[in-house]
Amino acid sequence: MHYKILPQPSPDFLKKYSDFNPVILSILWQRGIRNQEEIDEFLNPAYDQKKYDPYQFKEMKTVVKRILKAASNKERILVYGDYDADGVCASVLMIETLEKLYGLRAIRQTQDLIQVYLPHREEEGYGLNLKAVEYIKQKKIELLIACDCGSTNIAELQALADSQIDVIVIDHHIAPARRPPVYGFINPKFEAEAYPFRQLSAGGVVFKVMQALRIDLGEAFEKWVLDLVAISTVADVMPLLGENRVLVKWGLVVLNKTRRLGLQALIRAAQIKKQIGTYEIGFMIGPRINAAGRLDHANIAFDLLRQREEAQAKKEAEKLNKTNEYRQKMTELIFKKCEVQIKPQIENKDRILIAYNLKKDKWPVGLIGLAAGRLTDKFNRPAFVISLAEHGLSGSGRSIEKFDVMAGLEQVKNLFRKYGGHSQACGFTFADCQLRLIRQFKQKLENYARQELKDDDLIPRTQVSVEIQFSDITWGLLREINRMEPFGAANAKPLFLTKGAKVRSVRVMGLKQDHIKIILEQNKTEQEAVFFRCQECHKQIKHGDIVDVIYNIEINEWHGEKRIQLVLKNLKTP
């Protein structure tokens, strides 16, 4: 059992805020929350915080004026989005904003003046492309609004500018040092930007534009769209701190009573029968929306979120559900084939894992990132999966904490036609479709990784918030932990460590007999615990064993009775 106890606060910090449980103070400290104002904002996230005024974006006034001018003159607008859940939600939000400003009610009226273009992942790839630029010109578009893309598409943006088409880019991806050639540019990641929070999703950035337009849209309209803002933020794995925490907390309130027929149908299709939280978005709703762009076309998800007919919404949600099931099966198949390929690399103790398929359309590009993520999770190494698609030989990578995958790609950027991402995930397209490029990629990146990664970095370690005693676990502590919701990226549900607990009983549970329930005792205090998907654990644990355990603290409700329960993540036997 390898673990790392996260940094603990100083005695002065604990003394200064002694009204709080010291366990909670440790968790807040680890999340960078270290003064009274930050504590108050974190534990009581208020919706209307002046510190997040949308007009702090340098070009917000310019963008708002241009959009209002387009609405006043009934100009032809095209919203260009992305094919993932964030891009789809951002595009829906922008279309709905424009409809409201234009005073449009019927879908037909909207399509006459306001169009949407979501690129095909396999055929076009991410972002603007020259084929799409020609389409935009032919449609005589007067204003293009790019959502969740565009920051780095300099050639395409210049071509549009040369054709006298105004472009507004609303994005959140890493931006170039120089401002792109567009009419308006809003991207919190742009180095010259003044906005105080840089971790918004694309849906979140579009929402800031909507907030700036509040006088024309109305406050009620603004708040009812928070369901999509929450989905975009969680599905795109944005850190749930700062403004994102506010948007997701209140977005979940809206999502649980959403008026969108398509979302209602999708929730039923996913068989979500409990209160929707970040888990349901991240593992049930988000993947189904993403499945459309991964294996078919993102328009399917876009249409579902816009659907106004209940029967059609049900039909489209069921189709998306089946697409997601197929996505799961295909991902498993690709992952298994990747495992076979990377076995010699593991045996050779390579730092970098690479698997590829050069047969066209055999490994859908929309799934290779998922396969790479599973390789990284299982083997704790940076992993890359490469496939041949319509738009070229493309790859996707996932990484571990100690390895900046984008810094790695910088070492081999001469091999790519385009690439992008962040420290833990990336995507790229090779300059051509030759196997030699993959071999060069592997060799150069492996050499770089051997300089950057030590053997110790390849050992996965569970991040533990605090070591506590069973006697510290109370309903009061659990209530304080639950005040830290919503949990997600950068605000994970805290894990605790308890050493020297005695096993009082062990019972196997579940249809597959792969869960166990344990009664543990430490210093005369008993706790009920469960360990899910632990098929062999019950053979290793017996009555009387002394164990160390890592766990979350949760509520177990059964037949109306609520009890504190430990959900084990790791266990060390003698």
Side-chain angles (χ1 to χ4, degrees):
M1 183 170 75
H2 298 282
Y3 63 87
K4 173 186 175 183
I5 297 180
L6 295 170
Q8 301 298 306
S10 66
D12 289 343
F13 180 79
L14 296 174
K15 184 177 179 181
K16 184 175 182 179
Y17 301 106
S18 57
D19 289 347
F20 291 91
N21 187 311
V23 173
I24 298 300
L25 287 176
S26 292
I27 299 168
L28 292 172
W29 174 274
Q30 291 156 6
R31 283 150 173 73
I33 301 159
R34 300 180 180 180
N35 61 49
Q36 190 65 55
E37 181 183 2
E38 291 171 345
I39 292 172
D40 291 341
E41 285 183 7
F42 184 83
L43 295 179
N44 304 289
Y47 175 69
D48 201 2
Q49 293 191 36
K50 291 183 179 179
K51 68 185 292 185
Y52 300 126
D53 181 348
Y55 282 101
Q56 291 181 86
F57 278 103
K58 287 184 175 182
E59 298 189 34
M60 186 61 80
K61 285 184 180 179
T62 301
V63 166
V64 166
K65 285 182 180 179
R66 184 64 185 87
I67 291 174
L68 291 176
K69 176 188 172 186
S72 177
N73 296 334
K74 295 294 189 286
E75 295 180 27
R76 292 174 64 81
I77 290 184
L78 186 139
V79 174
Y80 192 102
D82 188 26
Y83 37 64
D84 69 357
D86 186 19
V88 170
C89 288
S91 300
V92 172
L93 290 171
M94 182 50 66
I95 290 287
E96 291 180 350
T97 299
L98 295 170
E99 282 180 330
K100 182 82 170 176
L101 293 173
Y102 274 57
L104 303 175
R105 295 184 179 277
I107 292 290
R108 182 189 57 77
Q109 290 178 309
T110 298
Q111 291 171 341
D112 288 343
L113 287 171
I114 306 166
Q115 297 184 41
V116 66
Y117 189 114
L118 304 179
H120 191 284
R121 187 191 292 256
E122 291 276 347
E123 296 174 6
E124 299 175 82
Y126 170 74
L128 289 162
N129 59 77
L130 293 176
K131 176 186 170 185
V133 168
E134 289 305 312
Y135 172 86
I136 292 163
K137 290 179 186 178
Q138 290 170 11
K139 292 294 181 179
K140 295 183 168 40
I141 298 300
E142 296 166 87
L143 175 63
L144 174 73
I145 303 178
C147 299
D148 199 24
C149 62
S151 292
T152 57
N153 297 129
I154 307 303
E156 291 83 359
L157 293 172
Q158 189 60 59
L160 290 165
D162 293 343
S163 299
Q164 308 300 308
I165 298 172
D166 288 343
V167 179
I168 293 171
V169 168
I170 303 173
D171 196 10
H172 74 132
H173 291 97
I174 293 173
R178 294 181 62 185
R179 181 186 181 280
V182 293
Y183 186 95
F185 185 52
I186 297 183
N187 184 336
K189 295 270 177 56
F190 184 42
E191 192 173 337
E193 186 53 75
Y195 194 72
F197 187 71
R198 295 184 177 269
Q199 300 299 324
L200 292 167
S201 66
V205 184
V206 171
F207 180 75
K208 300 313 293 185
V209 176
M210 297 175 73
Q211 279 192 314
L213 287 160
R214 176 186 283 187
I215 193 168
D216 295 277
L217 298 171
E219 185 176 351
F221 176 82
E222 172 194 313
K223 290 183 176 178
W224 274 107
V225 303
L226 283 167
D227 51 0
L228 295 189
V229 178
I231 291 172
S232 78
T233 304
V234 175
D236 220 46
V237 201
M238 293 293 101
L240 296 191
L241 298 172
E243 188 172 16
N244 283 342
R245 181 170 168 75
V246 177
L247 296 176
V248 172
K249 177 176 179 176
W250 296 104
L252 287 172
V253 173
V254 177
L255 181 57
N256 277 283
K257 52 184 178 182
T258 184
R259 296 172 173 178
R260 301 177 191 278
L261 295 179
L263 262 184
Q264 292 172 7
L266 189 62
I267 290 165
R268 287 192 295 269
Q271 298 186 341
I272 301 173
K273 298 175 182 178
K274 56 184 283 191
Q275 189 83 356
I276 298 171
T278 51
Y279 176 87
E280 285 70 30
I281 293 177
F283 292 93
M284 303 176 84
I285 296 173
R288 283 168 169 78
I289 295 174
N290 275 323
R294 291 188 187 282
L295 287 169
D296 200 327
H297 199 292
N299 287 343
I300 296 170
F302 178 88
D303 291 342
L304 175 63
L305 294 179
R306 298 263 296 151
Q307 187 53 246
R308 299 176 187 179
E309 299 292 334
E310 192 166 346
Q312 187 63 21
K314 180 181 179 183
K315 183 178 178 180
E316 290 175 356
E318 289 173 351
K319 179 180 180 181
L320 209 51
N321 204 45
K322 289 179 180 178
T323 302
N324 187 58
E325 290 174 359
Y326 180 67
R327 186 268 307 171
Q328 292 172 319
K329 292 177 183 176
M330 280 296 295
T331 302
E332 178 68 18
L333 179 65
I334 294 169
F335 172 68
K336 292 295 184 186
K337 290 184 176 180
C338 288
E339 273 195 304
V340 174
Q341 277 195 44
I342 59 105
K343 185 178 179 182
Q345 299 170 40
I346 295 292
E347 293 172 350
N348 194 45
K349 298 184 179 179
D350 286 4
R351 297 291 196 262
I352 299 291
L353 305 179
I354 292 181
Y356 60 89
N357 190 321
L358 299 184
K359 293 181 180 178
K360 197 171 183 181
D361 298 329
K362 289 296 183 181
W363 289 4
V365 172
L367 302 184
I368 58 177
L370 300 178
R374 289 188 60 179
L375 290 173
T376 294
D377 289 343
K378 181 168 183 177
F379 298 103
N380 204 57
R381 286 166 168 76
F384 301 85
V385 180
I386 299 163
S387 177
L388 187 60
E390 287 289 338
H391 63 278
L393 188 60
S394 296
S396 188
R398 298 295 182 268
S399 194
I400 58 177
E401 182 185 359
K402 296 287 187 178
F403 188 79
D404 184 337
V405 72
M406 281 301 291
L409 293 195
E410 283 290 322
Q411 311 302 310
V412 291
K413 62 183 180 181
N414 62 303
L415 302 178
F416 304 134
R417 187 164 75 240
K418 62 179 180 178
Y419 69 102
H422 54 79
S423 65
Q424 299 296 287
C426 68
F428 49 89
T429 301
F430 284 103
D432 62 48
C433 298
Q434 301 299 313
L435 179 59
R436 62 179 177 80
L437 292 185
I438 298 177
R439 289 172 175 163
Q440 290 176 38
F441 175 82
K442 165 65 174 173
Q443 182 179 357
K444 291 181 179 180
L445 210 56
E446 179 67 32
N447 292 340
Y448 175 74
R450 286 189 177 276
Q451 297 171 22
E452 298 294 314
L453 290 172
K454 306 182 183 70
D455 289 342
D456 194 55
D457 296 331
L458 303 180
I459 300 173
R461 285 177 170 78
T462 305
Q463 305 275 311
V464 173
S465 292
V466 194
E467 181 180 346
I468 61 175
Q469 305 293 303
F470 281 169
S471 57
D472 295 323
I473 302 172
T474 64
W475 283 104
L477 174 63
L478 186 53
R479 280 192 292 272
E480 290 301 303
I481 291 171
N482 289 341
R483 286 183 71 191
M484 304 180 79
E485 292 181 338
F487 293 119
N491 184 42
K493 187 177 292 187
L495 283 170
F496 301 97
L497 167 68
T498 296
K499 294 180 177 179
K502 180 178 283 190
V503 177
R504 287 299 185 192
S505 67
V506 184
R507 180 165 60 89
V508 180
M509 305 185 303
L511 292 174
K512 296 181 180 180
Q513 297 287 283
D514 57 348
H515 312 317
I516 58 174
K517 176 173 279 190
I518 315 174
I519 302 300
L520 298 169
E521 180 192 347
Q522 185 206 44
N523 298 329
K524 299 183 179 179
T525 300
E526 283 192 354
Q527 292 291 348
E528 179 184 284
V530 292
F531 203 154
F532 296 113
R533 289 173 292 280
C534 183
Q535 294 173 317
E536 300 298 318
C537 290
H538 68 281
K539 298 176 182 178
Q540 303 168 14
I541 305 166
K542 62 181 184 300
H543 175 81
D545 281 349
I546 304 298
V547 296
D548 298 342
V549 286
I550 294 173
Y551 53 88
N552 298 124
I553 305 172
E554 296 186 2
I555 296 174
N556 178 29
E557 186 169 355
W558 182 255
H559 294 310
E561 182 184 356
K562 294 183 179 181
R563 301 165 69 176
I564 293 176
Q565 179 174 263
L566 313 185
V567 179
L568 302 185
K569 302 299 179 182
N570 217 325
L571 180 148
K572 180 183 177 183
T573 55

